[in-house]
């Protein structure tokens, strides 16, 4: 690929440390890695032999590491329309069938591909260069992510209590499919990781959990799950495992939460549980938008950080984005009525870069701009961003940490001028180079119209695009095993 020089950056946010914020420096990229960080003059002095086929003038641009969306469902855009049907988060299983399983079960490889592509394009446009994708039809999802050029963490969802019309795997087949994805796609050095993903604790029998843990350990990859997200789910799980001191105590004894665990949400965790998780080395991915709009709750992030838990940040839905999640993270913890409130100004930036990268063991490769790391870089043209006008270079000598606050408070909706992943420019001067954004957006709008029409037709006759195999919140000994095959 040769060398690309991001020349004379007005702002360079090298990482989440205020000392990494600078002005007037340049970043050189060779092939897929960051080659150099310093002044333009120093670059030419140190590398006189290297030609510069691509020079990007960043005199009026903010340059920063690409964001790492720690939890998303790139095919989940359709879940928004399912809110048109009756749902009740206080009865979580009934809610899941109508508003989650049905849209999933409606999907086809063609529609999932187009929607995943649209969501990946949305992510890249808003500064995300790495995304975790909890998905069905993982081969199709991989194809879309790979084509989009985004760095991915593919997480095929597994459950035992339901089967989808679109992806009707039983629990054994689901484990085999995840194993196949790891063997074919898992290569973190080349833009794709695969995580072992049980959908949630209450819709997976423990035999499936055990198999998933063994698989994650066998291939030394991450074990991920939705975790302590809904009040009703926690109450019912606590009742189910009352003799073990409650559900959290049971799953801790089971060894479900370890340093390879990545827990999505954690918005119902209480202080003693947070303290226990801190001792395991597990990471939590904070999803402030979905927790607020869907669950009516908010993870106790200030207490998590106080106890040393690594916290990443996610948007959860393909139609959302990590920059907006950063702003929400900054705001909500100022107003939650808890003993621990307020976050350091740089905390959302850290969560959306190094926090999520560290959760997936990628922090030595991505999450900051440092020589030797992968070249995942975004730029924002400040001439076209009036909402970022409070940023000024004079703050570098007064209060550099305030720049994180000013950026995060105002960044929602910002689109990139350049987006580079693995050393390859995917966007230049605010336009995609090889992705047809309009085509995929139009196709996804068309799929959404069709989905809503089909869901209404099913709903009218009391039918579904999924079927229940066994009730949720069941112990293995209470399940009739012949229904699982």
């Amino acid at each position: 690929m040769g060398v690309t020089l991001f020349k004379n950056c007005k702002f360079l946010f090298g990482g989440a440390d205020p000392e990494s914020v600078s002005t007037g420096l340049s970043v050189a990229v060779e092939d897929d890695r960051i080659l150099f960080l310093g002044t333009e003059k120093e670059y030419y002095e140190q590398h006189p032999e290297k030609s510069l086929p691509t020079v990007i003038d960043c005199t009026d641009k903010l340059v920063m590491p690409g964001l790492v969306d720690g939890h998303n469902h790139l095919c989940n855009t359709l879940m928004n329309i399912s809110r048109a049907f009756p749902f009740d988060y206080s009865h979580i299983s009934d809610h899941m069938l109508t508003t989650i399983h049905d849209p999933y079960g409606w999907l086809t490889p063609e529609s999932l591909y187009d929607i995943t592509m649209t969501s990946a394009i949305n992510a890249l446009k808003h500064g995300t260069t790495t995304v975790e994708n909890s998905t069905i039809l993982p081969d199709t999802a991989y194809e879309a992510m790979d084509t989009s050029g985004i760095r991915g963490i593919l997480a095929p969802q597994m459950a035992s209590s339901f089967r989808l019309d679109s992806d009707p795997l039983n629990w054994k087949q689901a484990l085999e499919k995840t194993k196949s994805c790891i063997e074919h796609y898992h290569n973190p050095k080349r833009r794709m990781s695969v995580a072992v993903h049980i959908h949630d604790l209450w819709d997976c029998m423990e035999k499936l959990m055990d198999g998933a843990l063994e698989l994650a350990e066998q291939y030394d990859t991450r074990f991920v799950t939705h975790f302590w997200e809904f009040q009703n789910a926690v109450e019912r799980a606590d009742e189910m495992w009352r003799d073990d001191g409650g559900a959290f105590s049971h799953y801790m004894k089971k060894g479900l939460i370890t340093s390879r665990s990545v827990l999505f949400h954690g918005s119902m965790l209480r202080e003693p549980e947070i303290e226990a998780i801190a001792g395991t080395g597990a990471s939590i991915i904070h999803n402030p938008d979905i927790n607020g709009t869907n669950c009516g709750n908010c993870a106790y992030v200030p207490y998590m950080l106080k106890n040393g838990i690594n916290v990443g940040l996610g948007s959860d839905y393909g139609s959302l984005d990590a920059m907006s999640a950063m702003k929400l993270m900054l705001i909500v913890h100022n107003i939650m009525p808890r003993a621990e409130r307020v976050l350091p100004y740089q905390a959302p930036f850290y969560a959306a870069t190094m926090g999520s990268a560290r959760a997936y063991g990628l922090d030595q490769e991505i999450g900051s701009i440092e020589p030797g790391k992968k070249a995942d870089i975004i730029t924002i043209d400040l001439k076209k961003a009036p909402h970022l006008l409070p940023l000024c270079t004079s703050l570098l000598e007064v209060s550099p940490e305030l720049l994180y606050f000013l950026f995060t408070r105002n960044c929602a909706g910002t689109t990139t001028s350049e987006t580079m992943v693995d050393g390859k420019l995917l966007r230049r001067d605010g336009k995609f180079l090889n992705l047809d954004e309009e085509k995929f957006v139009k196709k996804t709008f068309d799929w959404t119209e069709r989905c809503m029409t089909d869901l209404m037709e099913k709903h009218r006759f009391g039918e579904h695009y999924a079927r229940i195999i066994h009730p949720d919140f069941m112990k293995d000994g209470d399940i009739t095993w012949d229904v699982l095959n």
Side-chain angles (χ1 to χ4, degrees), residues 88-376:
D88 183 358
Y89 288 105
S90 65
H91 296 86
I92 190 63
S93 296
D94 296 339
H95 152 73
M96 292 294 289
L97 178 60
T98 302
T99 63
I100 303 295
H101 301 339
D102 273 348
Y104 266 141
W106 175 89
L107 287 165
T108 63
E110 183 183 2
S111 58
L112 183 136
Y113 179 88
D114 291 340
I115 295 167
T116 300
M117 280 292 293
T118 303
S119 297
I121 286 169
N122 181 60
L124 291 164
K125 186 175 183 177
H126 291 93
T128 292
T129 53
T130 300
V131 62
E132 184 275 340
N133 183 19
S134 296
T135 188
I136 63 168
L137 300 173
D139 295 313
T140 303
Y142 168 80
E143 182 184 355
M145 295 168 74
D146 187 53
T147 301
S148 76
I150 204 164
R151 188 179 303 281
I153 300 141
L154 182 69
Q157 294 189 140
M158 297 186 288
S160 61
S161 71
F162 63 90
R163 287 188 201 147
L164 307 171
D165 288 1
S166 58
D167 197 13
L169 303 180
N170 65 34
W171 68 277
K172 291 181 181 179
Q173 293 167 333
L175 283 169
E176 286 300 315
K177 170 54 71 175
T178 297
K179 179 179 179 181
S180 173
C181 287
I182 295 172
E183 292 177 344
H184 286 89
Y185 306 137
H186 184 66
N187 191 345
K189 297 287 186 181
R190 296 185 60 84
R191 217 165 39 82
M192 186 62 67
S193 303
V194 178
V196 179
H197 182 10
I198 60 167
H199 179 261
D200 214 315
L201 305 180
W202 40 267
D203 57 18
C204 290
M205 59 181 184
E206 297 212 319
K207 195 172 184 68
L208 174 55
M209 295 182 197
D210 293 340
L213 281 167
E214 291 172 7
L215 199 60
E217 291 167 359
Q218 177 185 351
Y219 288 94
D220 191 24
T221 189
R222 289 303 193 257
F223 173 85
V224 307
T225 185
H226 297 89
F227 190 81
W228 260 238
E229 182 181 2
F230 300 98
Q231 181 175 346
N232 176 247
V234 173
E235 291 171 350
R236 292 179 66 179
D238 277 343
E239 178 62 25
M240 184 170 69
W241 298 110
R242 180 174 52 185
D243 292 344
D244 284 1
F248 184 85
S249 175
H250 171 78
Y251 291 122
M252 283 290 289
K253 293 174 185 175
K254 185 176 177 61
L256 194 71
I257 306 171
T258 70
S259 59
R260 74 171 68 252
S261 302
V262 182
L263 311 174
F264 305 143
H265 303 291
S267 48
M268 288 299 300
L269 286 168
R270 295 154 286 209
E271 287 95 328
E273 295 163 347
I274 290 172
E275 293 165 10
I277 289 174
T280 68
S283 293
I284 293 175
I285 305 297
H286 182 33
N287 302 269
D289 189 306
I290 294 301
N291 294 153
T293 57
N294 282 13
C295 310
N297 56 33
C298 180
Y300 197 177
V301 171
Y303 198 75
M304 293 175 184
L305 295 177
K306 181 180 179 180
N307 282 271
I309 291 178
N310 177 61
V311 176
L313 190 63
S315 62
D316 206 346
Y317 274 39
S319 54
L320 304 177
D321 65 88
M323 282 206 191
S324 297
M326 288 170 63
K327 177 171 183 173
L328 287 170
M329 182 176 174
L330 179 73
I331 293 171
V332 296
H333 300 291
N334 279 329
I335 60 178
M336 289 297 295
R338 292 164 168 165
E340 299 292 334
R341 299 169 67 176
V342 186
L343 295 173
Y345 291 154
Q346 60 268 37
F349 189 96
Y350 182 91
T353 53
M354 287 294 284
S356 290
R358 181 181 166 196
Y360 294 100
L362 298 172
D363 49 311
Q364 297 303 307
E365 294 286 333
I366 60 172
S368 61
I369 296 179
E370 301 176 57
K373 279 196 166 184
K374 289 282 191 176
D376 290 5

Side-chain angles (χ1 to χ4, degrees), residues 382-399:
L382 297 176
K383 300 192 304 299
K384 300 176 182 178
H387 56 296
L388 295 177
L389 276 172
L391 296 174
C392 58
T393 56
S394 57
L395 280 172
L396 288 168
E397 297 186 15
V398 182
S399 180

